[in-house]
């Protein structure tokens, strides 16, 4: 199966991404732990520390999936809306929230490119491991900007390109050999995991993506690399 999507229509990319996450929803959390050796938990903890959520704030967790970021944000007492294009991921998230006794989150289906929320509504917008799956990334960034109030903050956690010499090769070998096998073994679905790896490889490097955030209207754009940029936190401010 090929997931080369540069030559396919936008609608079809969105549909394929939909298929991937419907396939992996039930095993998504297990796979995150298996593939990152549990490290995704630390990256997410650090991400939410950077966001500094506060009681009473309105926060949109875009591409929120099964709720990992939203649960952490909600500990502050912020009002969190989890939005995702995929109902199967949201379903798993709602079940997890119920099991943990977390209530008060709003779960809603939404495409990051066309948000149903009013202008200047949110205090913060977060998106973790989501933006690379979006078909029209500049459009999604403009929607983030539109729905944030003045003084609102944008935070994105995403895989990027590590600048550590040698580390990139190890990671490439790992992702092409080990990840599809794990996908087969634990989720019975190597192709979806091949897509996820491919989407990471195609994503713009840290500086380019920072430029795209500025292009959407954000100021004071920053990038904080982790593991040399294997994972990065990008942020910006709406004024
Ligand atoms: N944020 C969660 C986390 O960190 O565990 C989930 C990340 S998961 C790798 C990516 C999510 O992006 C999936 O739930 C998928 O359905 C969602 N997604 C993909 N394209 C989207 C779009 N255009 N709009 C909204 N969500 C989208």
């Amino acid at each position: 199966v090929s997931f080369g999507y540069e030559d396919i229509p936008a609608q079809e990319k969105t549909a394929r991404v939909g298929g991937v996450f419907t396939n992996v929803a039930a095993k998504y959390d297990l796979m995150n732990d298996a593939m990152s050796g549990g490290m995704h938990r630390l990256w997410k903890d650090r991400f939410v520390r950077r966001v500094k959520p506060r009681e009473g704030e309105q926060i949109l967790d875009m591409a929120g999936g099964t709720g990992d970021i939203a649960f952490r944000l909600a500990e502050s007492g912020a009002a969190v809306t989890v939005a995702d294009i995929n109902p199967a991921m949201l379903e798993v998230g709602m079940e997890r929230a119920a099991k943990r006794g977390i209530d008060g989150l709003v779960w809603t289906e939404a495409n990051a490119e066309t948000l149903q929320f009013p202008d200047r509504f949110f205090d913060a917008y977060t998106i973790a491991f989501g933006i690379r799956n979006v078909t029209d990334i500049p459009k999604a960034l403009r929607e983030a900007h539109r729905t944030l109030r003045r003084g609102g903050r944008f935070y994105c956690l995403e895989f990027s390109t590590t600048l550590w010499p040698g580390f990139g090769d190890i990671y490439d070998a790992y992702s092409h050999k080990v990840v599809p096998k794990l996908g087969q073994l634990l989720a019975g679905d190597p192709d979806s995991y091949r897509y996820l790896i491919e989407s990471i490889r195609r994503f713009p490097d840290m500086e380019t993506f920072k430029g795209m955030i500025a292009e959407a209207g954000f100021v004071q754009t920053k990038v904080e690399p982790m593991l040399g940029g294997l994972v990065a936190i990008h942020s910006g401010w709406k004024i």
Side-chain angles (χ1 to χ4, degrees):
V1 179
S2 159
F3 283 104
Y5 49 70
E6 67 278 14
D7 16 336
I8 62 171
Q11 236 181 341
E12 200 179 323
K13 182 194 164 184
T14 308
R16 284 192 198 186
V17 171
V20 166
F21 285 102
T22 302
N23 288 347
V24 305
K27 294 284 167 63
Y28 176 75
D29 299 301
L30 170 71
M31 284 300 293
N32 274 347
D33 275 331
M35 291 191 315
S36 74
M39 272 189 301
H40 75 108
R41 294 167 184 258
L42 305 177
W43 300 332
K44 288 169 176 170
D45 287 345
R46 181 187 299 194
F47 179 66
V48 171
R49 279 203 300 276
R50 294 296 180 267
V51 177
K52 290 196 197 72
R54 283 182 287 267
E55 190 170 356
E57 283 190 327
Q58 285 286 350
I59 304 184
L60 175 60
D61 183 39
M62 195 61 228
T66 62
D68 267 7
I69 301 300
F71 298 159
R72 286 169 170 81
L73 291 169
E75 284 173 16
S76 65
V80 183
T81 301
V82 190
D84 198 285
I85 202 169
N86 193 303
M89 293 289 282
L90 291 171
E91 195 63 44
V92 174
M94 286 186 270
E95 280 165 22
R96 290 176 80 206
K99 268 193 208 136
R100 295 172 183 209
I102 301 172
D103 51 13
L105 297 179
V106 176
W107 301 82
T108 182
E109 240 177 277
N111 184 341
E113 293 170 14
T114 46
L115 296 181
Q116 66 270 47
F117 310 107
D119 295 358
R120 296 188 289 278
F121 186 77
F122 292 105
D123 297 292
Y125 174 111
T126 57
I127 184 162
F129 303 116
I131 195 89
R132 72 172 191 278
N133 298 298
V134 171
T135 306
D136 188 340
I137 294 172
K139 196 170 177 193
L141 294 173
R142 289 196 297 273
E143 278 293 82
H145 191 267
R146 178 183 69 77
T147 52
L148 279 170
R149 68 166 175 80
R150 290 184 202 286
R153 22 203 226 289
F154 169 88
Y155 278 92
C156 173
L157 178 65
E158 190 52 271
F159 289 105
S160 193
T161 311
T162 182
L163 301 174
W164 284 351
F167 193 61
D169 299 336
I170 298 169
Y171 171 72
D172 269 356
Y174 167 77
S175 57
H176 288 108
K177 299 212 171 87
V178 182
V179 169
K181 286 210 181 96
L182 278 175
Q184 170 63 46
L185 203 71
L186 298 177
D189 184 4
D191 288 334
S192 289
Y193 284 92
R194 274 195 198 104
Y195 158 76
L196 292 175
I197 293 299
E198 191 54 19
S199 64
I200 292 170
R201 205 177 60 74
R202 285 161 190 265
F203 193 69
D205 63 38
M206 288 186 279
E207 282 307 310
T208 308
F209 184 51
K210 197 172 111 181
M212 289 166 74
I213 296 168
E215 191 65 33
F218 290 100
V219 299
Q220 298 220 356
T221 52
K222 278 195 200 118
V223 55
E224 177 184 357
M226 294 181 266
L227 299 176
L230 179 71
V231 181
I233 297 173
H234 280 85
S235 58
W237 240 41
K238 172 169 173 178
I239 52 167

